[in-house]
Amino acid sequence: MDQVPGSPQEPQDARGDDGLPGCYRHPDRPSGIRCTRCNRPICPECMVSASVGFQCPDCVRGGSGTGHSPRATAPRTLAGGTVAADRRLITKILLGLNAAVFVAVLATGGPTSPLPDRLDLLGLAFDPARYQLVGVAEGEWYRLLTAMFLHQQVAHIAFNMLSLWWLGPPLEAALGRLRFTALYLLSGLGGSALSYLLAAQNQPSLGASGAIFGLLGATAVLMRRLNYDMKPVLILLALNLGFTFLWPHIAWQAHVGGLIVGAAVAFGMVHAPRDRRNAVHVATCVVAVLAIAAVVWVRTLQLVG
């Protein structure tokens, strides 16, 4: 018979080398703490604060016993998000989306694929293949988003995805899935918006670099909030900005735009007062969206006005 955590068939007296019983969900983790309701041993990851002592996740889902809803006593991240079992899920999904678009480009011709011309960030230009003007200024707003997931070169996507895998999980764990998703998308859109504003109208750009720089800026904000040593992330930021301005054929506007938006959104998320946290987070994201929309609107008026 299959066993599930907390089932009667699961041994409750399994003990580690130090004599402590193992957590009922993670038997390899000895723990001296027990749930105040069911008395099962629980490790730090499974502890949910109660009015007295700690409760296990199963008891919390069944009813907190504290006068609050089970959701109110669920473990929370630094920014108030729900603690998830897989703290890399959104990072994996973003990696998968970027990889899927890259594979689609390769499958449709690689260097000769029509996808980049349809999905990259372009202000306004004439497309000889379709004999018409194309670009964001022509109403193709989706380019601001699709360009964030588009890559043509192996080195380009490899560097961006390695950076995402390194920066993403700590931020996802600290912010929670929903807030991390908002941070990533707003950072990428911020990079697209500044590139649309400042780059030549017929200069195409693509890649997740704007979103990655947003995660880098958010990492700096988070480390400052936790009073960690800032030198490593500042050195990394300085190196990346150096490459941005010194290496040829790099859309520095996207990097700077993503960095600014990512740092600003992260600041609002990690410094929000606890009693007004959700309201501040929503307001922060709304202000970022309005700022991005204003930049896009101004540039569109310049190009078509």
Side-chain angles (χ1 to χ4, degrees):
M1 180 182 294
D2 294 337
Q3 296 183 12
V4 296
S7 66
Q9 292 82 10
E10 181 177 303
Q12 298 295 320
D13 56 353
R15 295 181 177 272
D17 295 337
D18 53 6
L20 293 175
C23 171
Y24 84 101
R25 298 175 70 211
H26 307 96
D28 59 326
R29 303 178 188 177
S31 176
I33 304 298
R34 291 180 176 271
C35 174
T36 56
R37 300 191 70 194
C38 67
N39 202 38
R40 289 180 293 192
I42 47 178
C43 67
E45 182 178 336
C46 298
M47 296 176 187
V48 180
S49 297
S51 55
V52 178
F54 298 94
Q55 294 180 8
C56 67
D58 288 345
C59 288
V60 169
R61 282 193 292 268
S64 66
T66 62
H68 303 287
S69 66
R71 183 177 177 83
T73 56
R76 294 286 173 177
T77 66
L78 172 68
T82 303
V83 175
D86 184 357
R87 302 186 183 185
R88 297 173 180 260
L89 178 63
I90 301 302
T91 300
K92 293 176 184 176
I93 291 174
L94 292 172
L95 283 166
L97 289 174
N98 280 276
V101 175
F102 183 68
V103 170
V105 171
L106 293 180
T108 54
T112 61
S113 171
L115 289 180
D117 289 338
R118 300 295 181 92
L119 302 179
D120 61 9
L121 178 63
L122 187 67
L124 184 64
F126 178 75
D127 184 359
R130 289 185 282 173
Y131 297 98
Q132 64 183 40
L133 290 174
V134 296
V136 177
E138 279 295 301
E140 297 177 339
W141 311 105
Y142 63 86
R143 289 177 179 267
L144 296 165
L145 179 66
T146 56
M148 297 164 45
F149 297 94
L150 180 65
H151 299 83
Q152 283 185 291
Q153 300 177 346
V154 174
H156 191 197
I157 189 173
F159 180 80
N160 280 341
M161 294 305 99
L162 284 174
S163 299
L164 174 57
W165 185 249
W166 182 62
L167 296 170
L171 286 169
E172 185 175 345
L175 301 178
R177 290 175 178 174
L178 180 60
R179 291 165 178 80
F180 175 71
T181 302
L183 171 69
Y184 185 90
L185 294 177
L186 289 173
S187 297
L189 289 173
S192 294
L194 193 63
S195 184
Y196 177 50
L197 176 67
L198 300 179
Q201 67 182 53
N202 62 344
Q203 176 62 50
S205 63
L206 50 85
S209 300
I212 299 302
F213 265 77
L215 299 187
L216 186 57
T219 299
V221 171
L222 178 62
M223 292 183 68
R224 180 67 181 86
R225 171 67 174 79
L226 297 174
N227 292 320
Y228 287 172
D229 182 9
M230 295 291 293
K231 290 181 181 178
V233 70
L234 291 179
I235 292 175
L236 180 63
L237 181 57
L239 288 174
N240 278 275
L241 286 174
F243 281 120
T244 294
F245 290 101
L246 299 178
W247 202 269
H249 309 301
I250 289 183
W252 64 266
Q253 301 92 339
H255 293 190
V256 173
L259 178 65
I260 293 173
V261 173
V265 170
F267 186 89
M269 288 183 175
V270 303
H271 287 281
R274 182 181 296 270
D275 58 338
R276 291 183 290 120
R277 191 156 47 191
N278 289 339
V280 172
H281 291 174
V282 171
T284 298
C285 293
V286 169
V287 169
V289 169
L290 292 177
I292 292 169
V295 170
V296 172
W297 179 66
V298 168
R299 179 56 170 167
T300 301
L301 289 181
Q302 291 176 351
L303 295 179
V304 301

